[in-house]
Amino acid sequence: MLIFCCSFSPLLWAGQLDLFIQRVKVECPRAQALLVKKSLIEMIKGDETCQERYLQLLLAECQSLSCSDLVYIYKIAKEQSSGTVMGR
Amino acid sequence: MLWRFVFVFFFILGAIDPSWAIEPEKSLEERLTDLELQSLSHRIQTNLEMNVLGGYFQNEHHRNQDATVRNVHFKNNIRLKFKGDLNPSFRTYVSFQVNYLFNDDLQTSENITDERTTSVFGSRPYLRTGYFDWNLLGDNLIFSAGRLPTVYGPPEHLRMGRDRQGTYPSMGYNVPLDGLALTYCLVPLLHNWGAHFTGRTVYMPGSIANRQDPHEAAPLSERDPRSFSDGHEGFTQMFEYEVARPTSYFDRFLAIWQLSYLRLGAFKERKGVSKGVNYSVYLDGGTLARMYNTAFHLELHRIFKTRFDFYGSYMHSWTKPSGTMMTSYPDFTGLPDEEYGQFISDGDTQGNRYLLGTRFHFKKSHLGLEYWASSRYPIPNDLYSDDLVALGQFFGKIGHIYYNYEFFKNQMRLKLGYFYIHEEKDFSDGFVNNSRQRIQSVYTGISFEI
């Protein structure tokens, strides 16, 4: 039996960039989009310890987010845009 | 006079080649607009993965004979992936893969077939995935269709030190399958806590026909051209619960339960020559077998904030063969056809297979241990792997130790490993037979993604 969920989620699946920005904005609404994008670039380049400049700025801007939170959001966005699991 | 000459020279040069003239710098908005136009015109993203392995093998009682075979093999796996977003609600994914052993066809060409159960096709690429996801109700109901990502599923990604590469637990099914799927979130409120509870229903139809003329069915044999194969049909129901946000108990949790049914239709008649005698093998009915299996997979990462991961998979299967495989000898018209046997074994069979594994994390690497075991007659459906050998295809007991070291900011991995296979049964030509092969291998490999 299919269970139809009642809410229409605003988080439509999109590319990795959009997914990452949307999820960070949910956690930290005041984060500037340009700062989030530059932080994503640093994560794509392999920084998973948040040592790079813009990641540090983003963490300072968003006290509710930790480095492990950002890594989690990044990995989820990457997996969900990879096509390795159907329906994600 | 000289400076006049220089002035005239550059004046003339500027008239001939306008690029020498100084152009006004583009504004920031113009440059951003150029970038936006570029990204709109390049809507297909590509990704390349490569995995090269080499290993030393020793196989005692090779093919159940008192002979020990030793050799060295290198294997190359190359995966080219494409992703296209028509819009945020419609995405398509296509990937091609090549798995081959180095230079295995240098002298003698292997027969390259389309057999889906053969995971090493040689240097000819095959379609690994080719499907779309269509969000019908936001992210709460998604329709997928095509060649679905049913290979290289969990826990292959843990063994290889990378992100999850497939949907099904590999013990559930690890064969490329085409189908239609609905994925639906069951409790959307869990998203607020970084958790997902997802249901997935998959339908897998298949037909055996003349590819050029699909309106024509395939006869079972030349002797009986009016009997036809029933085709294939399968259903899978999956439930998946994942917590990807770190908690005090684990950094990540994944549990998958899957129930599958597959009716395999009769195969097309196969002809060959043995010791100079022509023969053909066919099925005396439209259905080869009906198979049921249930599989469960569990992963826990960094349990209680330690450096340990734990993972395990279990599969139980039931096989109900329908038709009987027959052998005929066309050169001997008076000779009756022989019963060759039924799929896996004569009569109904069942069996199980399980895997237990653990990983210990260092700063930039991890060490893993695995133990596999099977009993009775489990369906041989765990067939694909980027490893040198797909360990899931074996019946018996297997011990495996591996070490993955990540460098270049986790974009490349170096792997070392050893496995020992105590084979108790062997699946070939549609049957499970006893085996006493003892296979061990030391191997190494490099994998990377671009």
Side-chain angles (χ1 to χ4, degrees):
Chain A
M1 182 176 82
L2 295 177
I3 299 172
F4 289 89
C5 301
C6 54
S7 63
F8 205 104
S9 170
L11 286 180
L12 294 178
W13 295 147
Q16 181 183 352
L17 172 65
D18 293 327
L19 285 168
F20 183 81
I21 293 171
Q22 284 171 6
R23 288 188 183 273
V24 170
K25 286 290 230 177
V26 165
E27 302 289 335
C28 180
R30 65 180 192 172
Q32 290 183 12
L34 187 58
L35 176 58
V36 177
K37 288 177 187 177
K38 286 198 173 284
S39 302
L40 175 60
I41 290 172
E42 287 172 348
M43 299 207 88
I44 290 171
K45 286 181 178 176
D47 181 8
E48 292 191 356
T49 56
C50 306
Q51 298 300 309
E52 297 294 328
R53 179 185 170 197
Y54 292 105
L55 280 164
Q56 292 272 314
L57 286 171
L58 182 61
L59 290 173
E61 179 74 14
C62 303
Q63 298 290 326
S64 59
L65 276 175
S66 66
C67 183
S68 60
D69 289 337
L70 283 176
V71 171
Y72 147 73
I73 292 171
Y74 169 69
K75 285 189 173 175
I76 288 294
K78 191 176 158 196
E79 276 186 16
Q80 286 171 346
S81 63
S82 69
T84 53
V85 180
M86 65 182 102
R88 269 201 176 178
Chain B
M1 280 298 289
L2 180 62
W3 66 265
R4 285 181 188 172
F5 172 74
V6 170
F7 175 78
V8 167
F9 172 77
F10 279 104
F11 180 80
I12 294 170
L13 199 59
I16 295 170
D17 184 357
S19 66
W20 278 86
I22 299 170
E23 287 187 359
E25 200 170 298
K26 283 188 184 178
S27 70
L28 186 60
E29 186 170 344
E30 281 177 318
R31 285 158 64 189
L32 286 172
T33 305
D34 286 345
L35 280 173
E36 188 176 349
L37 276 170
Q38 269 188 3
S39 89
L40 282 173
S41 61
H42 296 109
R43 292 160 68 187
I44 307 274
Q45 297 161 34
T46 56
N47 181 262
L48 174 70
E49 294 175 33
M50 194 160 160
N51 185 14
V52 181
L53 300 123
Y56 168 81
F57 285 85
Q58 178 175 296
N59 184 357
E60 297 172 34
H61 307 297
H62 178 251
R63 296 191 178 177
N64 290 335
Q65 295 166 355
D66 289 328
T68 298
V69 172
R70 298 179 180 86
N71 46 34
V72 173
H73 285 300
F74 287 83
K75 184 183 177 195
N76 196 3
N77 306 303
I78 301 171
R79 191 174 293 142
L80 188 59
K81 303 199 286 189
F82 303 92
K83 174 179 180 260
D85 290 343
L86 188 65
N87 57 55
S89 300
F90 196 99
R91 303 163 305 284
T92 185
Y93 306 93
V94 176
S95 63
F96 295 97
Q97 181 139 350
V98 179
N99 306 327
Y100 69 92
L101 297 179
F102 279 16
N103 300 314
D104 65 339
D105 55 357
L106 187 62
Q107 185 188 50
T108 306
S109 175
E110 289 270 342
N111 272 334
I112 298 170
T113 69
D114 279 335
E115 286 281 347
R116 200 83 63 83
T117 53
T118 304
S119 65
V120 184
F121 277 81
S123 41
R124 187 180 75 165
Y126 67 93
L127 182 68
R128 173 174 164 261
T129 57
Y131 77 101
F132 65 80
D133 276 340
W134 186 4
N135 293 66
L136 300 178
L137 279 180
D139 58 351
N140 295 328
L141 183 65
I142 298 167
F143 173 63
S144 312
R147 175 71 51 95
L148 301 172
T150 57
V151 286
Y152 303 101
E156 167 96 355
H157 64 293
L158 299 172
R159 201 176 300 133
M160 303 302 286
R162 62 189 182 197
D163 294 336
R164 185 171 166 188
Q165 293 292 306
T167 308
Y168 289 178
S170 55
M171 277 200 184
Y173 270 123
N174 190 7
V175 180
L177 290 171
D178 306 292
L180 313 167
L182 277 175
T183 304
Y184 33 94
C185 83
L186 294 169
V187 185
L189 285 176
L190 286 175
H191 295 176
N192 295 333
W193 291 280
H196 300 267
F197 187 28
T198 305
R200 195 173 280 118
T201 306
V202 186
Y203 171 60
M204 293 165 292
S207 55
I208 299 175
N210 184 340
R211 283 176 177 172
Q212 290 293 102
D213 301 297
H215 52 278
E216 293 183 6
L220 289 179
S221 67
E222 283 183 358
R223 288 168 181 252
D224 187 10
R226 288 177 294 183
S227 295
F228 306 103
S229 170
D230 292 337
H232 315 309
E233 193 170 54
F235 294 92
T236 289
Q237 179 61 51
M238 266 179 84
F239 293 102
E240 186 173 318
Y241 183 71
E242 183 175 21
V243 180
R245 190 162 212 165
T247 69
S248 53
Y249 303 104
F250 45 74
D251 274 11
R252 193 158 189 168
F253 173 91
L254 173 66
I256 303 173
W257 175 68
Q258 178 174 311
L259 183 63
S260 299
Y261 162 73
L262 179 64
R263 187 195 74 220
L264 265 183
F267 50 85
K268 282 185 182 173
E269 184 178 19
R270 296 175 189 188
K271 296 180 182 178
V273 179
S274 174
K275 295 179 183 175
V277 176
N278 290 313
Y279 70 90
S280 74
V281 178
Y282 65 93
L283 197 72
D284 69 351
T287 295
L288 179 66
R290 288 175 173 77
M291 293 177 284
Y292 306 82
N293 85 51
T294 184
F296 184 72
H297 174 75
L298 179 69
E299 280 174 38
L300 292 112
H301 296 237
R302 308 268 184 164
I303 303 167
F304 296 119
K305 295 300 182 189
T306 63
R307 295 183 180 206
F308 282 97
D309 300 339
F310 166 79
Y311 57 98
S313 299
Y314 176 81
M315 182 273 280
H316 194 101
S317 66
W318 298 261
T319 305
K320 296 180 182 301
S322 185
T324 300
M325 290 182 271
M326 307 291 290
T327 308
S328 73
Y329 300 95
D331 298 337
F332 304 95
T333 50
L335 201 62
D337 294 351
E338 289 179 351
E339 282 190 4
Y340 190 63
Q342 291 191 305
F343 182 63
I344 294 187
S345 186
D346 291 343
D348 295 354
T349 57
Q350 54 178 294
N352 57 56
R353 195 191 304 277
Y354 69 88
L355 155 68
L356 295 172
T358 184
R359 294 195 308 183
F360 180 83
H361 290 272
F362 301 98
K363 192 174 177 186
K364 285 189 177 181
S365 61
H366 55 261
L367 178 70
L369 284 173
E370 290 182 334
Y371 176 73
W372 306 60
S374 61
S375 69
R376 293 184 286 175
Y377 300 94
I379 297 169
N381 58 357
D382 187 355
L383 301 175
Y384 280 65
S385 175
D386 278 342
D387 272 328
L388 263 179
V389 171
L391 297 178
Q393 67 180 313
F394 291 96
F395 294 68
K397 294 176 179 51
I398 302 170
H400 181 212
I401 182 168
Y402 60 89
Y403 176 76
N404 284 315
Y405 183 86
E406 299 166 351
F407 51 105
F408 291 157
K409 293 192 176 179
N410 303 332
Q411 291 174 328
M412 185 182 275
R413 290 166 295 277
L414 175 67
K415 186 169 185 178
L416 294 171
Y418 167 81
F419 60 77
Y420 179 80
I421 302 168
H422 180 113
E423 192 178 44
E424 294 164 354
K425 295 185 182 72
D426 164 68
F427 178 76
S428 61
D429 297 328
F431 303 113
V432 173
N433 308 291
N434 288 329
S435 172
R436 54 191 184 109
Q437 290 192 132
R438 306 287 178 260
I439 305 162
Q440 48 183 321
S441 172
V442 175
Y443 66 90
T444 185
I446 284 182
S447 60
F448 57 88
E449 300 169 33
I450 299 171

